Amino acid sequence: MLIKTHSCALMGVVAVPITIEVNVEPGISFFLVGLPDSAVKESQQRIDTALKNNGFKIPGKKIVINMAPADIRKEGTAYDLNLAIAILIASEQIKGYDKVGDYYIMGELSLDGHLQPVRGALPVAIEAKKRGMKGLILPYDNAREAAIVSGIEVLGVKHIREVIDFFDKGIPISPKVVNTREEFQKSLCKYEFDFSDVKGQQNIKRALEIAAAGGHNVILIGPPGSGKSMLAKRLPSILPPLTLSEALETTKIHSVAGKMSRFSSLISVRPFRAPHHTISDVALVGGGQNPQPGEISLAHNGVLFLDELPEFKRTVLEVMRQPLEDRSVTVSRSKYSVDFPASFMFVAAMNPCPCGNYNHPKIECTCGQGVVQKYLNKISGPLMDRIDLHVEVLPLSTEELATASIGESSATIRERVVLARKIQEQRYKDYPEIHCNAQINTKLLRQYCAVDTAGTQLLKNAMDKLGLSARAYDRILKVARTIADLAGSENIGGEHLSEAINFRSLDRDNWGK
């Protein structure tokens, strides 16, 4: 008997429909074809043992299983449940021929028949709805994640017996129901860290507010213990709240990477990723034998924070250059390529020198001549080109810590950021790929960041007197445009340019000398 069931394979963050054809006829053999990997081939032993422990068996006949389309590689253990149910129906051990084709089925089998969670439940649920399927049968631990897709039945099961009884005896499985908008609104803007916890450092808070308002990349440079990491962790709390579409896109990536827990359904706060400096380039940008999203994709719609930036391997930092520009990364293999989104704010922190005390107000730097510049040169010019704000962070004295008042809350700062972003959305409404000032190209820079004669002279004087490099010019204009937006000004004024110039510390010729 021939039976067809349905599942999905993951290609990047997209689910591709897979049809599983099982034919059982007289003979003695077992064939599994359709480009399965080792994990799929090993499913025969898991399925055989799970069925025997539940009163069924793989029949001693000729069984041919084809996973179509045959030119797409099938990876992972998510096909176990589908294959087991298809074998049972094709061998007429259970009923269900008439309705098994209405559902996508996925799940990894334990030897006793219990189901283990799998990756990519959300993209599969989206694909099931798109294809007009009646529902999706999957492990219970993945049900909340998949149930944020409305319009299909999401049937979460803990044991293969529930699925067998559903098809064979018609015993219903209670669908998982999640009110997506309610879930989204309930946890929106709930952040662990808040800017009100930070004493002093008003200039750094101002810099991060500007960065959030314009989507600018930023580097914090200062001695150990000055608060660089503490401030960076609070940056997501002042970014504009995620939209529902952004939340779904972010959740898809985390679902494919297997980062969703059984209690989570929708990611409703902007992600903050802070990988260790020993990370490999593949782990950062994504890839591997079976391509998976890297840290830059997990930070999509959020913040990627690299602490101790010069300690990262040069090759790791250089592979970020293209994703920072294109806001996506393509992982190519001989037979296919996958695209992972990577639109994130890049935030870095570093000590100013090996001993960490260069420019410290009280402690003298012990580094020799040229050592500071050599330390900074670990970061390439092209990468530094993509960082708009260079912010010096100096430690507070004991007296300042004792007398500093409680600062503004993240919610208050976020209101100003949201207003500035709305101005930018309106300005770039005819450019669907551009959402904030940091993303504009040279043509739009001339159009929207024009300055008057006095502003041009101010920029010229800054370039000459401070020794700013030529690459700082465009960055200063973009940052000044954001500062003007925060001030509600249509034109870029001298005060906006002056503040932007102050955030180019590392571009000064005399820095580190």
Side-chain angles (χ1 to χ4, degrees):
M1 180 178 179
L2 174 65
I3 187 75
K4 293 185 179 182
T5 59
H6 303 283
S7 189
C8 280
L10 296 174
M11 297 287 288
V13 294
V14 178
V16 179
I18 298 295
T19 300
I20 296 177
E21 303 169 320
V22 178
N23 188 68
V24 179
E25 59 185 41
I28 302 176
S29 55
F30 186 98
F31 298 102
L32 179 58
V33 298
L35 213 59
D37 73 349
S38 297
V40 179
K41 292 176 182 176
E42 291 169 355
S43 65
Q44 180 183 354
Q45 282 69 40
R46 291 192 295 273
I47 293 168
D48 187 31
T49 306
L51 293 182
K52 284 180 180 178
N53 286 332
N54 287 277
F56 299 93
K57 63 178 182 178
I58 293 180
K61 296 184 178 182
K62 181 181 179 181
I63 301 174
V64 178
I65 302 174
N66 178 43
M67 307 179 79
D71 60 340
I72 295 177
R73 188 162 182 79
K74 320 305 183 302
E75 300 166 346
T77 57
Y79 302 102
D80 290 3
L81 179 62
N82 196 309
L83 292 171
I85 296 299
I87 289 171
L88 290 177
I89 296 175
S91 61
E92 300 182 354
Q93 296 181 63
I94 65 172
K95 303 172 186 175
Y97 181 86
D98 55 337
K99 62 179 181 179
V100 71
D102 296 333
Y103 295 87
Y104 276 172
I105 304 172
M106 59 189 297
E108 176 187 338
L109 280 174
S110 297
L111 298 186
D112 61 356
H114 280 89
L115 292 172
Q116 302 294 329
V118 294
R119 296 184 297 107
L122 179 56
V124 173
I126 293 172
E127 183 63 25
K129 181 180 180 180
K130 178 181 174 183
R131 295 283 171 174
M133 305 298 287
K134 185 176 181 180
L136 169 64
I137 299 174
L138 77 173
Y140 184 82
D141 288 352
N142 295 117
R144 279 186 62 83
E145 175 189 336
I148 64 176
V149 179
S150 58
I152 61 168
E153 292 182 359
V154 176
L155 308 181
V157 293
K158 297 181 179 179
H159 198 278
I160 191 175
R161 262 289 178 187
E162 297 175 56
V163 187
I164 292 172
D165 291 342
F166 174 72
F167 286 117
D168 190 37
K169 301 176 182 178
I171 298 176
I173 302 171
S174 299
K176 188 72 175 179
V177 178
V178 172
N179 187 324
T180 307
R181 294 192 179 275
E182 183 181 315
E183 286 274 325
F184 179 63
Q185 292 296 330
K186 186 169 61 176
S187 53
L188 194 65
C189 296
K190 286 189 175 180
Y191 292 96
E192 181 181 358
F193 304 106
D194 195 278
F195 268 96
S196 61
D197 303 329
V198 182
K199 287 189 174 183
Q201 303 289 21
Q202 297 304 320
N203 61 322
I204 318 302
K205 293 178 185 177
R206 172 64 175 170
L208 293 180
E209 179 181 341
I210 294 168
H216 301 289
N217 301 323
V218 57
I219 184 168
L220 306 175
I221 180 166
S226 55
K228 302 186 294 293
S229 301
M230 178 182 66
L231 287 157
K233 287 178 182 177
R234 284 157 175 77
L235 179 58
S237 67
I238 62 172
L239 289 172
L242 282 172
T243 63
L244 187 56
S245 61
E246 285 177 330
L248 282 167
E249 190 177 26
T250 304
T251 306
K252 277 175 62 177
I253 298 169
H254 286 249
S255 174
V256 168
K259 302 294 184 182
M260 302 293 291
S261 73
R262 58 175 295 188
F263 304 107
S264 56
S265 57
L266 189 67
I267 293 175
S268 53
V269 294
R270 294 191 180 273
F272 179 85
R273 304 295 298 184
H276 192 259
H277 65 259
T278 55
I279 191 172
S280 67
D281 49 354
V282 171
L284 186 68
V285 301
Q289 185 176 358
N290 304 324
Q292 293 293 305
E295 288 291 335
I296 64 172
S297 294
L298 293 172
H300 181 63
N301 291 323
V303 175
L304 177 71
F305 176 52
L306 300 188
D307 202 0
E308 304 297 342
L309 187 66
E311 302 304 322
F312 284 80
K313 289 184 290 187
R314 182 82 171 222
T315 54
V316 172
L317 296 179
E318 293 307 296
V319 294
M320 281 204 309
R321 285 159 50 180
Q322 178 263 332
L324 279 170
E325 290 291 330
D326 298 343
R327 301 190 177 272
S328 67
V329 60
T330 301
V331 179
S332 299
R333 294 292 176 265
S334 57
K335 294 184 178 180
Y336 64 93
S337 64
V338 295
D339 294 319
F340 294 115
S343 180
F344 59 92
M345 274 186 65
F346 175 48
V347 181
M350 61 178 287
N351 295 333
C353 65
C355 78
N357 295 319
Y358 182 77
N359 272 3
H360 195 289
K362 293 185 177 180
I363 305 175
E364 186 176 350
C365 175
T366 59
C367 299
Q369 186 176 5
V371 173
V372 176
Q373 192 61 45
K374 183 179 179 181
Y375 187 70
L376 295 177
N377 286 342
K378 289 185 176 182
I379 308 164
S380 70
L383 179 61
M384 196 63 74
D385 251 346
R386 291 159 172 81
I387 301 177
D388 296 344
L389 288 94
H390 306 161
V391 186
E392 287 186 71
V393 185
L394 297 179
L396 296 179
S397 65
T398 307
E399 295 78 12
E400 289 173 318
L401 282 172
T403 58
S405 59
I406 296 175
E408 286 184 302
S409 68
S410 292
T412 304
I413 301 173
R414 187 167 60 243
E415 289 176 5
R416 297 196 294 267
V417 169
V418 170
L419 287 175
R421 284 290 184 104
K422 286 181 178 177
I423 293 172
Q424 294 164 53
E425 286 176 13
Q426 183 64 27
R427 179 185 298 136
Y428 308 124
K429 62 182 179 181
D430 296 330
Y431 307 94
E433 299 300 318
I434 297 176
H435 307 287
C436 55
N437 291 328
Q439 298 173 0
I440 62 176
N441 54 34
T442 305
K443 180 181 177 181
L444 294 178
L445 186 75
R446 289 196 297 267
Q447 182 177 349
Y448 294 113
C449 300
V451 294
D452 56 19
T453 305
T456 303
Q457 187 61 43
L458 177 62
L459 276 172
K460 183 178 181 301
N461 292 340
M463 301 285 284
D464 294 340
K465 292 182 179 180
L466 299 178
L468 296 177
S469 66
R471 71 185 181 213
Y473 187 85
D474 287 357
R475 302 291 168 180
I476 289 172
L477 287 177
K478 289 182 182 181
V479 173
R481 177 69 270 171
T482 300
I483 295 171
D485 290 340
L486 282 168
S489 174
E490 186 176 344
N491 299 315
I492 298 175
E495 67 277 16
H496 308 137
L497 284 169
S498 298
E499 187 174 3
I501 290 168
N502 287 330
F503 292 125
R504 297 301 301 183
S505 301
L506 298 184
D507 268 326
R508 296 172 187 169
D509 286 342
N510 63 346
W511 176 271
K513 292 182 180 178

